[in-house]
Every structure is written in C-alpha cells, then in structure tokens.
Amino acid sequence: MIEIKIQDLYKKIIKHYSSKKRFVLFKRPNENKIYFYSSTNKNVGSINQDNFFLISSFNQTSIIKIYTKQIFFINIENNNNKNNNKNNKNNNKNDFCLLKHSYKYNKLIAQAIKLINIGLLNKIVLSKFLEIDCNNLLLRKTFQNFIVSYPNTFVVLWYNMNYEFWISATPELLITYEIGKKQLTTVALAGTITQDNSNQMMYDWTNKEFEEHQIVIEYIKNILQNKYAGYISIDKTKTIQVGSLFHLKTIIKFVFYKKINIFKLLNTIYPTPSICGSPKEPALDFITKYEGYNRQFYTGYFGPVSKNNIELYLNLRCANINLKNNKIIIYAGSGITAKSNIFLEYLETDSKIKNIVSNLIFK
C-alpha cells in the first residue's frame, strides 16, 4: 500500500472518471484511512489477482471485481472538519415523494403480514426508494460528509460506467474471513428504532425487535453448525446508533476445524434474513413478485478481497447517483414480522431515507 496526499487522490479520481474506468473509495468503521482501488487497462491475467474489490447486486446477476495494481490510501486523522452548510434545496419535495411512495409501501406491508399470520413466512424485509434530481450535487463534499456523519460504518463510493456512482454508509458486516486462522466473523443486525427529538430512542426495545433479531442469529447459527465442523461464539446483543437510528447488533464468530471454500459458504448464507426474510425462498419469491422494482445493488454486498482476508458488507444506507441522467435513487427497507406496526415500519424507512438525504451536499 502507498500513502498519498489528498490532492493526488482527487487527481486519480478525476482521471479515472474522465476515462470511464471503474474505481472505489472506502473507509472501514472507526478507521482514519480512505483506500482507493482502481481498474487497469491491462488484461486481468497480467495483474495481481490477489487484491480486488468485490461488488454484487442483490440478485447476484451483476458481479463487479475492481482489480487494482496498487492500493493507495490517505490518512484523514487530521481532516475531520464537518460540513455544516447543507444547503439541501429538495426537502419539501422529498417529504411529498415519501408520502406518495409510502402509501404503496404500507399496502405491501399489510399484504406481507397476512402471509406471516397464515404461516408462510416468519419475516420478510420489504424496501422502497425515493428518486430526486441531483442538480448542483457536490459529490466530493457528500462523500466527506458521509465519513464524518457515520464514523462507525463502512463508507463506500464506487463508480462503474454502466451503473454510475453508488455511495453507502453501511453498519452491517456480512462476513470477514481470516484464511490463515480459518476464522469467520459475521454480524446479526436487525431491529431498528428511530430517535426522538431529544436524540434518545423513541421507545424501548419490544418483543418485535428482539424476535426479528433472533431470526437472523438462528439462521446464521444453524448454517454454521449444521454444515461445518468448528467452534461458534455468540456475543451479547448490544444497541448501536447510526445517525438517527438505533439497531440491535450481535457479533458471531466461528472457527473452522478444516479449510473451507469461503465463497461456497457466502452463497449459502446470502441473502440473510436481515435483508431478505425467513424462510429464504418464499421471502425472496415475494420480494421478486411484489416489491415492484429492481433493487439492483441495494442489499447486495461489497468489500475488499485479498489472499489472506475477505471482508464483505451489506449495501445499506445507500444511494445510486446518476450524473448522466440527473437523478439520485435512495433506498431503505424494514423487517416485517407478525408483530409489525405498519406506521412504525413506514416511519423507520422514511427515517433511513432522510438520514441519507440530510447528508447529501448541494451548492
């Protein structure tokens, strides 16, 4: 890895965007480094295939690998000035669009709850999106703002000419796998409550959130224990805060007795109930038939891959920024169970969308 100055990083970004080469910037949770991976014109066979950034869509039909000849990074420890001049001119229009889209979303939740009540599903994650224009969006300042606003998340900005820009600040680790130690770490992150006007939780955790969270834990635990030989450890569930939202989080670790094919495990465990549902197949079928749009890379996964380590996160708290078509699409979802309150689920998704909108910086 090579440390560079921030001005040199900007030059690399401009150069790659101008030549339509794919690239990615990312910052790990609670770190002070921004990493830069970029594609090369050389054939994949002539470059180091050990280091790449992996990106997958939700349905896993679109897979992007950004192979990088060299990894660059900048240290941002002394560059943590927050942008407070958020001249977001879209707020009133956003509120109207949220109400319009939420009517359809509420009907979808009610439809899902009926299926849960007759036993066809235990849980399903339903999502919606908000589309706004991106006139006068300041992309660099927006990325900086994401980093400052969400220090405990995996912050990503990636570009591909076929999909334009995607920006994310995701709190949810899918997997890390240390190949030498044969150790897997994953996270159950399910159960959300918004904050009130005093920046506290709007209400205490209820059985709904705990049950929703436990479904994810049991799903991961059953796959690991039933299909692999090894030792599992499950941490105590904690409450974390990301922006104006509170989540239940449980860290799960598994040490394998034998070497495994980590990508085979990935295809078994993904999609998890935290972004799809349980049981997996009927939940996925319902989403495909009735959600009403293509999630694309929302709730997909991404992260750096090397010969020693694999580190993948779920693509949440994200937006697709299409400068060519002058639009931004912001995504959000919530986990639906038998105990779901339709209004609170609506409020949760709106809060997630507003968290992203409030951190977009415009001229």
Side-chain angles (χ1 to χ4, degrees):
M1 285 190 289
I2 299 175
E3 183 173 6
I4 58 176
K5 296 179 181 179
I6 192 167
Q7 295 89 343
D8 295 326
L9 176 61
Y10 292 150
K11 289 177 182 177
K12 288 181 179 296
I13 293 169
I14 293 169
K15 179 181 177 182
H16 279 75
Y17 178 62
S18 299
S19 57
K20 294 182 168 35
K21 292 180 182 177
R22 61 183 68 173
F23 64 85
V24 61
L25 297 158
F26 67 92
K27 187 195 79 69
R28 293 184 171 94
N30 302 309
E31 273 196 4
N32 290 312
K33 292 179 180 177
I34 297 175
Y35 298 91
F36 178 76
Y37 286 38
S38 61
S39 65
T40 173
N41 285 331
K42 296 181 180 180
N43 294 328
V44 172
S46 65
I47 64 173
N48 183 357
Q49 295 188 49
D50 290 333
N51 293 313
F52 62 92
F53 194 91
L54 175 64
I55 304 168
S56 173
S57 61
F58 172 63
N59 59 16
Q60 295 181 288
T61 58
S62 297
I63 303 290
I64 299 169
K65 293 181 180 180
I66 302 178
Y67 291 96
T68 185
K69 186 176 181 182
Q70 187 60 255
I71 300 172
F72 297 96
F73 74 92
I74 62 168
N75 197 314
I76 58 170
E77 194 165 4
N78 300 318
N79 296 291
N80 54 3
N81 297 321
K82 180 154 183 173
N83 286 291
N84 290 317
N85 55 337
K86 301 178 188 177
N87 299 319
N88 194 327
K89 301 175 183 177
N90 290 309
N91 284 338
N92 292 334
K93 182 173 68 175
N94 293 339
D95 289 341
F96 172 76
C97 291
L98 285 169
L99 286 170
K100 186 177 77 171
H101 285 290
S102 292
Y103 173 73
K104 294 181 180 179
Y105 184 66
N106 291 353
K107 288 181 66 177
L108 188 63
I109 294 173
Q111 184 181 354
I113 291 175
K114 288 181 181 178
L115 294 182
I116 293 171
N117 286 335
I118 63 175
L120 295 180
L121 295 168
N122 298 320
K123 171 190 175 179
I124 188 166
V125 178
L126 299 175
S127 69
K128 64 183 183 184
F129 67 92
L130 172 69
E131 184 176 319
I132 61 176
D133 64 60
C134 61
N135 281 333
N136 301 317
L137 177 74
L138 300 174
L139 189 56
R140 177 170 64 87
K141 288 185 179 292
T142 294
F143 180 65
Q144 291 172 339
N145 204 48
F146 270 56
I147 287 173
V148 176
S149 298
Y150 304 110
N152 59 342
T153 69
F154 188 80
V155 180
V156 181
L157 177 68
W158 62 269
Y159 170 77
N160 178 287
M161 64 178 293
N162 297 318
Y163 306 105
E164 284 288 305
F165 289 95
W166 280 76
I167 189 168
S168 312
T170 176
E172 187 163 358
L173 174 71
L174 177 57
I175 59 166
T176 61
Y177 181 62
E178 298 175 69
I179 296 172
K181 295 180 179 179
K182 298 192 289 289
Q183 177 173 298
L184 174 85
T185 302
T186 185
V187 166
L189 194 86
T192 302
I193 293 178
T194 60
Q195 72 179 22
D196 59 21
N197 292 332
S198 60
N199 296 329
Q200 302 299 313
M201 288 174 60
M202 186 173 289
Y203 53 89
D204 292 333
W205 296 113
T206 69
N207 286 337
K208 186 268 177 185
E209 289 83 33
F210 285 123
E211 288 177 9
E212 177 188 352
H213 188 78
Q214 192 62 34
I215 288 172
V216 182
I217 293 175
E218 292 299 320
Y219 170 84
I220 295 170
K221 185 175 74 171
N222 289 339
I223 287 178
L224 293 174
Q225 290 185 320
N226 293 338
K227 294 183 178 293
Y228 298 94
Y231 172 77
I232 194 169
S233 63
I234 302 175
D235 286 5
K236 184 179 179 180
T237 300
K238 297 179 179 179
T239 299
I240 66 164
Q241 183 174 8
V242 181
S244 63
L245 299 165
F246 296 86
H247 304 285
L248 291 172
K249 176 182 178 180
T250 303
I251 298 173
I252 302 169
K253 294 183 179 181
F254 194 89
V255 179
F256 299 89
Y257 293 152
K258 297 179 181 179
K259 185 181 283 189
I260 65 158
N261 183 329
I262 188 61
F263 289 103
K264 185 176 179 180
L265 169 60
L266 174 63
N267 288 332
T268 302
I269 209 168
Y270 178 86
T272 69
S274 67
I275 50 95
C276 178
S278 174
K280 182 194 294 187
E281 286 74 19
L284 192 57
D285 184 60
F286 184 91
I287 290 168
T288 303
K289 287 182 178 178
Y290 300 112
E291 200 168 53
Y293 78 103
N294 183 358
R295 290 187 181 186
Q296 296 191 62
F297 291 92
Y298 168 63
T299 62
Y301 55 83
F302 48 44
V305 176
S306 70
K307 64 180 179 180
N308 298 316
N309 190 65
I310 295 163
E311 180 183 3
L312 300 174
Y313 293 80
L314 291 171
N315 188 12
L316 307 173
R317 309 297 189 278
C318 64
N320 179 207
I321 300 170
N322 193 319
L323 298 180
K324 288 190 299 186
N325 295 334
N326 188 37
K327 66 180 181 180
I328 304 172
I329 303 176
I330 303 145
Y331 303 85
S334 63
I336 312 303
T337 69
K339 293 185 172 69
S340 285
N341 177 296
I342 293 178
F343 172 73
L344 292 178
E345 302 296 353
Y346 148 81
L347 185 65
E348 177 184 326
T349 52
D350 276 14
S351 296
K352 288 174 178 176
I353 287 176
K354 288 176 180 178
N355 259 259
I356 297 301
V357 173
S358 66
N359 282 285
L360 301 173
I361 307 298
F362 296 87
K363 288 181 184 177

